[in-house]
Amino acid sequence: MWSVSSLGVAICALVSAEQSFSGFPIRFANPVLVGEPQVLGVAQMVPVDLDADGAVDIVGVGSNVLQIYRNRGGTLRRVHSLTLPPGAIPFDPQLATADVDSNGLVDVVAVMGGGIHYQLFRQQTDGTFLREDLGIPAEFYFPKVALADVNADGLADLVTSDPLIVHLNQGAGEFAAIGEPVVETFTHFRVGQVSGTGHPDIVTSASGQVLVHENQGTGLLALSGTHSVPILTRTDLADFNADGIDDLVQTEPVPLHHVRVSLGDGQGGFATSDLIDTGIRPERTTAGDLDNDGWVDVIAALGDARTVLLSLGGGDGTFVPGPQLAVPLAGPGAAVPFIPDVDVADMDGDGRLDVMVATYNQGIAIFRNRTGVSPRFKDNPLQTVR
């Protein structure tokens, strides 16, 4: 059974159905909608097992509110709505999750626009979260954040933006900046294995270029590669050809309407291997093996079309563009949902990656992956939270 509930919110049933695609080897159930229209729109989300119980929970942020959804036996239940500090402005809010204080519980670092500091939400043993101001200034527009163990000491370190700064974890979720700030103009960054050293590197993207900052093993960074791109892009990383090196996947909006995939050479360089034509502006991408064939696929959110494009990977950096999953309207007369984020995770523990779509105006839509399941087995009636 798959269901969704929320504290103090009524549950309404939808008709059960599935989305299957002629000639394409994947099937998805129609989505569950999590969250309330307008009130709890979500700009970014992170699927993560918050309490090590084996079930994937969701952390979302939007409208100056951090939302915590717990997964209990396949039922997602919103248990916390945590307010960010006064002055926070929802300019592309960002989240990162990790156990920063080594207590076995996942914590959350959140940041929004408005020039407020980065905020740490420490998870307590009773499942609640305590907000702590880290005292690290954030840029006014579009700040970024990541958590990763950059010096191989087993602790999650903090990466903040503009300028790019690495803050080493001192052992209890207390952070100290190292090295010289990297002053450059960029719009996005990602952490991944792109230089072949085995250490997490940082990739920044801006109009016309992608820069690779190689981790020297201590968290200190050195510029090791520059990759030209046609226009301003959003960048993600995934290993599409199973060589142990992360590759680039980038959205290229107006006027190109492409998702560009570029294979990494392990030395900070990239070569374009495929252009996926999306037909409309791609907003965000994520990656995962949707059909369990061993190759990583690309999932692209087409923000203005309220759809998600699925493209199956061939293991060599090329892709077969396939169907689109459509996010339904929340109800008669509802505004068309804009999609700012997309991600994948096995939400129901059946060994298949499900697709989660964040929307600004009606919460999160979850498409359950039914690939390989006999059509005679149907989901229970789907449910939505209003």
Side-chain angles (χ1 to χ4, degrees), residues 87-165:
I89 302 173
F91 289 132
D92 197 20
Q94 297 288 297
L95 296 173
T97 59
D99 178 8
V100 302
D101 46 15
S102 303
N103 67 349
L105 300 172
V106 173
D107 311 297
V108 181
V109 174
V111 65
M112 281 185 147
I116 66 168
H117 292 166
Y118 285 80
Q119 304 293 308
L120 171 61
F121 293 83
R122 291 183 187 267
Q123 186 174 181
Q124 308 300 296
T125 55
D126 62 357
T128 60
F129 289 80
L130 293 181
R131 181 171 63 84
E132 175 183 325
D133 190 323
L134 289 176
I136 301 172
E139 60 186 308
F140 194 88
Y141 296 104
F142 310 115
K144 277 74 70 177
V145 64
L147 288 166
D149 182 6
V150 299
N151 59 346
D153 65 353
L155 301 174
D157 306 302
L158 177 66
V159 185
T160 60
S161 68
D162 210 8
L164 184 65
I165 302 177

Side-chain angles (χ1 to χ4, degrees), residues 4-372:
V4 177
S5 64
S6 183
L7 292 175
V9 181
I11 301 296
C12 305
L14 294 175
V15 176
S16 178
E18 292 185 346
Q19 301 188 39
S20 58
F21 311 98
S22 177
F24 219 75
I26 53 178
R27 295 167 58 232
F28 281 84
N30 281 340
V32 176
L33 299 179
V34 185
E36 294 125 312
Q38 306 300 329
V39 178
L40 289 178
V42 176
Q44 195 208 359
M45 62 189 171
V46 176
V48 60
D49 183 359
L50 288 170
D51 45 12
D53 64 352
V56 178
D57 311 299
I58 295 179
V59 181
V61 65
S63 302
N64 293 13
V65 176
L66 187 72
Q67 303 163 37
I68 307 294
Y69 292 88
R70 300 279 188 181
N71 189 339
R72 296 290 183 259
T75 296
L76 278 174
R77 185 176 183 85
R78 193 180 73 248
V79 295
H80 298 296
S81 293
L82 308 170
T83 304
L84 273 77
I89 302 173
F91 289 132
D92 197 20
Q94 297 288 297
L95 296 173
T97 59
D99 178 8
V100 302
D101 46 15
S102 303
N103 67 349
L105 300 172
V106 173
D107 311 297
V108 181
V109 174
V111 65
M112 281 185 147
I116 66 168
H117 292 166
Y118 285 80
Q119 304 293 308
L120 171 61
F121 293 83
R122 291 183 187 267
Q123 186 174 181
Q124 308 300 296
T125 55
D126 62 357
T128 60
F129 289 80
L130 293 181
R131 181 171 63 84
E132 175 183 325
D133 190 323
L134 289 176
I136 301 172
E139 60 186 308
F140 194 88
Y141 296 104
F142 310 115
K144 277 74 70 177
V145 64
L147 288 166
D149 182 6
V150 299
N151 59 346
D153 65 353
L155 301 174
D157 306 302
L158 177 66
V159 185
T160 60
S161 68
D162 210 8
L164 184 65
I165 302 177
V166 174
H167 310 259
L168 294 185
N169 192 333
Q170 302 301 294
E174 306 292 336
F175 299 95
I178 64 165
E180 293 296 323
V182 179
V183 180
E184 65 179 58
T185 299
F186 60 89
T187 53
H188 305 96
F189 76 74
R190 290 290 184 266
V191 178
Q193 302 274 356
V194 297
S195 65
T197 64
H199 306 298
D201 308 301
I202 299 176
V203 177
T204 62
S205 60
S207 183
Q209 65 180 359
V210 171
L211 301 180
V212 175
H213 301 273
E214 182 178 323
N215 183 353
Q216 304 300 292
T218 60
L220 295 175
L221 304 175
L223 183 64
S224 66
T226 301
H227 178 61
S228 297
V229 293
I231 56 176
L232 176 67
T233 67
R234 291 181 181 269
T235 299
D236 284 291
L237 298 171
D239 184 1
F240 293 113
N241 58 349
D243 64 352
I245 301 297
D246 280 336
D247 310 304
L248 286 178
V249 55
Q250 302 163 276
T251 59
E252 296 182 350
V254 177
L256 300 180
H257 298 157
H258 289 152
V259 170
R260 179 183 297 268
V261 178
S262 303
L263 296 182
D265 62 8
Q267 299 178 1
F270 299 91
T272 298
S273 61
D274 203 357
L275 289 174
I276 302 171
D277 185 4
T278 59
I280 195 170
R281 184 184 74 181
E283 186 68 22
R284 291 282 179 91
T285 60
T286 192
D289 185 1
L290 295 176
D291 54 354
N292 285 341
D293 66 349
W295 304 118
V296 177
D297 311 309
V298 170
I299 302 94
L302 310 183
D304 293 327
R306 69 180 178 93
T307 59
V308 175
L309 174 67
L310 310 179
S311 299
L312 296 187
D316 58 356
T318 62
F319 296 82
V320 178
Q324 296 184 17
L325 302 177
V327 178
L329 297 178
V336 174
F338 179 81
I339 301 174
D341 199 13
V342 63
D343 215 325
V344 294
D346 182 5
M347 297 299 297
D348 49 10
D350 66 354
R352 305 177 187 87
L353 290 179
D354 307 304
V355 176
M356 294 164 290
V357 180
T359 71
Y360 278 142
N361 53 351
Q362 62 182 45
I364 301 170
I366 301 176
F367 293 85
R368 185 180 181 186
N369 192 338
R370 303 291 290 160
T371 302

